[in-house]
Amino acid sequence: MRDRGKIIVGLIIFVILVTFPFWRQLAASGEADVARPDLDYPDPAEVPSCVEDSAYMTANHPHLLNDWRDQLVREGVTEYTSSTGEVYQISLTHTCLDCHEDRDAFCNRCHDYSNVDPTCWDCHTTPGGGS
Amino acid sequence: MSEKKSRRDFLRDTSAAVLGAGAGLPFLATTGCEQLQDHNLRGSEQQWAMVIDVEKAKDPAVRRACAEACRREHNIPVIEEPGDEIHWIWDETFEHVFEDQVHEHTPEELMETPVLVLCNHCTNPPCVRVCPTKATWKRESDGIVMMDQHRCIGCRYCMAACPYAARSFNWRDPRPFIETDSEGNFPSEYPTRRRGVVEKCNFCAERLRDGLQPACVEAANQVPGAEGVLAFGDLTDPDSEVSRILAEQKTMSRRVALGTGPNVYYVV
């Protein structure tokens, strides 16, 4: 038991190293809540609302788009009736991107912020056939 | 000797029991087969079909117009390397298209005649039967054999199952091989594909939705002198152009004996 001191010091260093990411996070959280990304919304004068309200779209757009995909591709349903009764064409390229014209300043900016990497743009194009 | 079983007795009794149970298995399997057949023979409410006039399609301008229109409509990459190329509509020689119709006395000229080929949108499609993810299926509303690129896992079972080699696999990212305009835009808004999925002709489902004819049909019939080379319509409608041609003229389709029920016909 002559090495008790060394062992204890070693253990303490080990525990600190292993928990380092947590300490760093704690230290960082004090200084900066990362600012929400500045998104390029369509002009409300031209486009009064999205297919559903903003809060719903922020939380559920991936699910809505997945539903649209299955309905259009697999069931041949071409129109979506929103909760307010408005009817929209089911189309990522047109219904979405005709209003959200700048994909980089809207989709990508928020996806970067939330560290998600959806594969939509591997295949889908912007209106007019842009990549 | 006590009542205890010897090792030999035990082994004999066990194998007899296993054999007995195994003999019942074929009866269990019968039910599965019936279900499968039922699923595959379900018809569609409507059936799009195409009739190709082989004589008129001898004009290379017609076949080029078809391939070109299709390429632009669906952002098809042009990959030269054999094996990697993507094709939706292309041509093969008569002897390869109708390999069960030619014989040793078939004239050389006929053997070498180029014939337009594409997905046959079979009534009983073997590709649909083998797809493990239902990424390809027969649409009940109009009989098109559809593809869902979101769901394709690239296993290529469908390619092995298709007797017409109508499907192509994206061995590489197709985007660099798609011709773009001066601003870098693709020819159309149709989604491109990604590496690792299978693709094929979709009878221009996206154009039919808007009430248009398939791109190849529209383009081919505009070639001077080739009007009527491709006819397209609904087979379940007795008054449609395709039904009329099939009723009046001598037509054939590919490898009928396989029972796939191809819906692309040829006037020969």
Side-chain angles (χ1 to χ4, degrees):
Chain A
M1 296 300 280
R2 275 172 302 165
D3 292 334
R4 174 186 281 179
K6 287 182 191 163
I7 289 171
I8 288 176
V9 170
L11 275 177
I12 289 173
I13 291 174
F14 174 75
V15 168
I16 289 174
L17 277 180
V18 164
T19 54
F20 176 71
F22 299 101
W23 300 118
R24 197 181 58 168
Q25 199 63 32
L26 271 182
S29 66
E31 72 195 44
D33 278 327
V34 182
R36 280 179 70 94
D38 179 24
L39 300 185
D40 185 15
Y41 290 102
D43 182 2
E46 285 175 34
V47 191
S49 86
C50 197
V51 296
E52 297 288 351
D53 65 65
S54 292
Y56 178 86
M57 291 307 288
T58 307
N60 295 308
H61 69 276
H63 309 298
L64 180 97
L65 288 173
N66 277 352
D67 284 349
W68 277 20
R69 175 193 73 194
D70 291 345
Q71 284 177 19
L72 182 75
V73 180
R74 306 196 74 88
E75 286 151 43
V77 179
T78 57
E79 286 176 339
Y80 171 74
T81 309
S82 76
S83 55
T84 56
E86 294 257 7
V87 175
Y88 295 91
Q89 185 202 356
I90 292 185
S91 167
L92 173 67
T93 307
H94 285 291
T95 305
C96 300
L97 297 184
D98 277 353
C99 299
H100 299 291
E101 287 163 339
D102 193 344
R103 204 177 74 198
D104 283 327
F106 187 75
C107 311
N108 295 357
R109 198 170 282 174
C110 196
H111 290 155
D112 288 346
Y113 165 77
S114 41
N115 195 19
V116 290
D117 190 13
T119 52
C120 312
W121 315 117
D122 288 0
C123 298
H124 286 275
T125 60
T126 53
S131 55
Chain B
M1 192 75 193
S2 69
E3 284 291 299
K4 239 170 126 184
K5 273 194 163 141
S6 71
R7 182 189 293 264
R8 174 170 300 194
D9 288 341
F10 173 75
L11 286 175
R12 191 193 57 215
D13 292 350
T14 317
S15 32
V18 168
L19 269 179
L25 279 180
F27 297 102
L28 288 174
T30 324
T31 358
C33 282
E34 274 164 4
Q35 279 167 350
L36 197 65
Q37 275 174 3
D38 181 45
H39 166 76
N40 283 317
L41 292 177
R42 200 170 47 203
S44 336
E45 297 160 25
Q46 223 189 58
Q47 177 64 59
W48 292 117
M50 188 183 284
V51 183
I52 299 173
D53 188 321
V54 175
E55 198 57 38
K56 284 183 184 166
K58 275 185 183 171
D59 180 359
V62 171
R63 302 194 309 277
R64 216 178 308 125
C66 289
E68 175 67 15
C70 182
R71 193 170 63 72
R72 297 191 63 81
E73 174 64 26
H74 300 110
N75 289 329
I76 298 172
V78 181
I79 304 175
E80 303 289 345
E81 207 150 320
D84 286 11
E85 57 205 339
I86 306 286
H87 49 213
W88 287 33
I89 181 165
W90 71 108
D91 51 69
E92 298 273 0
T93 54
F94 188 93
E95 65 174 318
H96 288 128
V97 178
F98 298 107
E99 57 202 26
D100 48 356
Q101 301 287 326
V102 295
H103 46 79
E104 54 183 319
H105 302 294
T106 305
E108 188 71 15
E109 194 201 333
L110 181 59
M111 291 277 231
E112 299 299 327
T113 301
V115 179
L116 271 176
V117 288
L118 65 157
C119 170
N120 281 289
H121 296 274
C122 302
T123 302
N124 183 19
C127 52
V128 168
R129 191 168 175 160
V130 298
C131 180
T133 60
K134 290 192 176 159
T136 189
W137 73 101
K138 178 123 180 118
R139 195 154 76 176
E140 278 175 47
S141 60
D142 59 6
I144 295 182
V145 175
M146 295 286 288
M147 267 301 291
D148 183 351
Q149 312 292 357
H150 302 100
R151 218 182 262 198
C152 178
I153 56 170
C155 71
R156 294 177 286 140
Y157 266 138
C158 56
M159 296 178 67
C162 177
Y164 310 105
R167 292 168 168 270
S168 309
F169 184 67
N170 283 279
W171 287 101
R172 33 178 124 188
D173 178 14
R175 284 202 165 186
F177 299 93
I178 304 173
E179 188 194 342
T180 51
D181 65 10
S182 54
E183 286 166 22
N185 289 335
F186 294 122
S188 89
E189 290 174 355
Y190 192 83
T192 65
R193 272 69 64 192
R194 54 197 300 205
R195 190 167 73 90
V197 295
V198 172
E199 62 182 87
K200 67 166 194 80
C201 160
N202 67 348
F203 259 1
C204 282
E206 76 286 354
R207 287 171 61 92
L208 295 171
R209 192 165 64 212
D210 296 336
L212 297 166
Q213 292 261 295
C216 56
V217 177
E218 193 180 276
N221 291 331
Q222 279 170 5
V223 175
E227 293 81 6
V229 56
L230 297 190
F232 187 83
D234 178 14
L235 263 194
T236 58
D237 171 10
D239 296 325
S240 68
E241 197 188 352
V242 285
S243 300
R244 202 175 40 75
I245 297 175
L246 292 181
E248 290 168 2
Q249 299 195 45
K250 199 172 164 191
T251 50
M252 53 204 247
S253 56
R254 299 177 67 189
R255 302 183 74 172
V256 185
L258 293 177
T260 54
N263 286 299
V264 173
Y265 297 86
Y266 295 87
V267 178
V268 283

